[in-house]
Amino acid sequence: KAGVTQTPRYLIKTRGQQVTLSCSPISGHRSVSWYQQTPGQGLQFLFEYFSETQRNKGNFPGRFSGRQFSNSRSEMNVSTLELGDSALYLCASSRGGQMNEQFFGPGTRLTVL
Amino acid sequence: AQSVTQPDIHITVSEGASLELRCNYSYGATPYLFWYVQSPGQGLQLLLKYFSGDTLVQGIKGFEAEFKRSQSSFNLRKPSVHWSDAAEYFCAVGVRVTSYDKVIFGPGTSLSVIP
């Protein structure tokens, strides 16, 4: 079966702009989690959505937001981009939540100039 | 607070040698424990997990891990490393926070394999 897909794979933005990243989970998976990965901070949890509801949230500012649609596809949005937002953003899907096996997408590499 | 430490930032081993990657966690209750691997340019893949029962857990790609409650450790092992094992390895702990579950990842250990 198809894996987790993320689009776009690469993005270059400038400070102050906003960006929307997309994630399509594995069919049948209702949980989608987002992570930010940087060399200095490692893997940081952003938020988790389950059946269109945000179930869980990490310690990120309100500039980071997300949503999930009825088909379980998810988007995350970052407004007013800062240089420090440059990172690999990973999406993971699972059947019931993070305690179940999470299947990760290849990520979106965001560069903020 | 819950946390995961991986003492080794980077490890280099020769192909065919044995491997042990260390992981320690801090959590008051019985944890759910995971090992994930990230190959270059790819997302993470689950190697194995421990929820309860036998403390020696077998995973994919010939990996195993042992849960030691007294040491708060969940070390990953492989008897003979292959060049394709070169990757970043993440230990993670699953915790229950009020009404929901959360997985906390360690900082990762980068593995290089010498042919």
Side-chain angles (χ1 to χ4, degrees):
Chain A
K1 57 184 176 182
V4 177
T5 58
Q6 292 188 245
T7 56
R9 290 293 310 275
Y10 302 92
L11 264 179
I12 299 177
K13 293 285 188 179
T14 57
R15 280 181 298 173
Q17 287 187 310
Q18 74 156 13
V19 67
T20 299
L21 312 181
S22 180
C23 171
S24 292
I26 291 172
S27 178
H29 286 189
R30 296 164 66 188
S31 167
V32 173
S33 296
W34 288 89
Y35 298 86
Q36 181 195 67
Q37 186 176 26
T38 59
Q41 299 296 318
L43 269 165
Q44 303 273 309
F45 169 69
L46 281 156
F47 27 66
E48 179 197 3
Y49 285 87
F50 185 86
S51 294
E52 301 181 64
T53 301
Q54 187 181 90
R55 188 162 71 171
N56 199 347
K57 190 177 188 304
N59 296 323
F60 277 81
R63 300 185 297 107
F64 292 81
S65 63
R67 59 178 175 169
Q68 187 180 33
F69 302 95
S70 58
N71 61 359
S72 292
R73 190 177 69 85
S74 177
E75 289 181 347
M76 69 162 280
N77 183 277
V78 188
S79 62
T80 319
L81 284 166
E82 301 176 359
L83 295 179
D85 297 333
S86 294
L88 181 67
Y89 289 88
L90 292 166
C91 160
S93 77
S94 65
R95 289 195 179 279
Q98 296 183 0
M99 295 301 211
N100 302 118
E101 179 177 1
Q102 295 187 78
F103 293 83
F104 284 78
T108 294
R109 173 73 63 185
L110 172 65
T111 301
V112 182
L113 302 176
Chain B
Q2 309 91 359
S3 66
V4 180
T5 56
Q6 294 178 247
D8 304 305
I9 295 173
H10 185 259
I11 285 182
T12 300
V13 300
S14 298
E15 191 169 18
S18 64
L19 172 71
E20 182 169 32
L21 301 182
R22 295 182 291 163
C23 171
N24 293 95
Y25 67 89
S26 173
Y27 181 52
T30 300
Y32 285 18
L33 295 162
F34 309 83
W35 274 100
Y36 282 85
V37 61
Q38 184 178 32
S39 298
Q42 298 187 25
L44 282 70
Q45 180 185 22
L46 180 69
L47 285 174
L48 47 78
K49 61 186 178 186
Y50 170 79
F51 284 0
S52 64
D54 192 349
T55 56
L56 186 61
V57 181
Q58 301 297 319
I60 62 171
K61 305 185 180 187
F63 286 93
E64 66 176 27
E66 186 172 12
F67 170 55
K68 293 185 177 180
R69 184 188 303 276
S70 61
Q71 299 177 20
S72 297
S73 69
F74 189 55
N75 294 349
L76 182 71
R77 300 194 294 250
K78 186 170 185 178
S80 178
V81 170
H82 187 262
W83 64 267
S84 61
D85 293 324
E88 188 89 17
Y89 290 80
F90 294 92
C91 180
V93 60
V95 302
R96 172 57 62 93
V97 181
T98 57
S99 61
Y100 59 84
D101 300 323
K102 183 170 74 169
V103 170
I104 301 168
F105 285 87
T109 295
S110 176
L111 174 65
S112 296
V113 180
I114 301 173

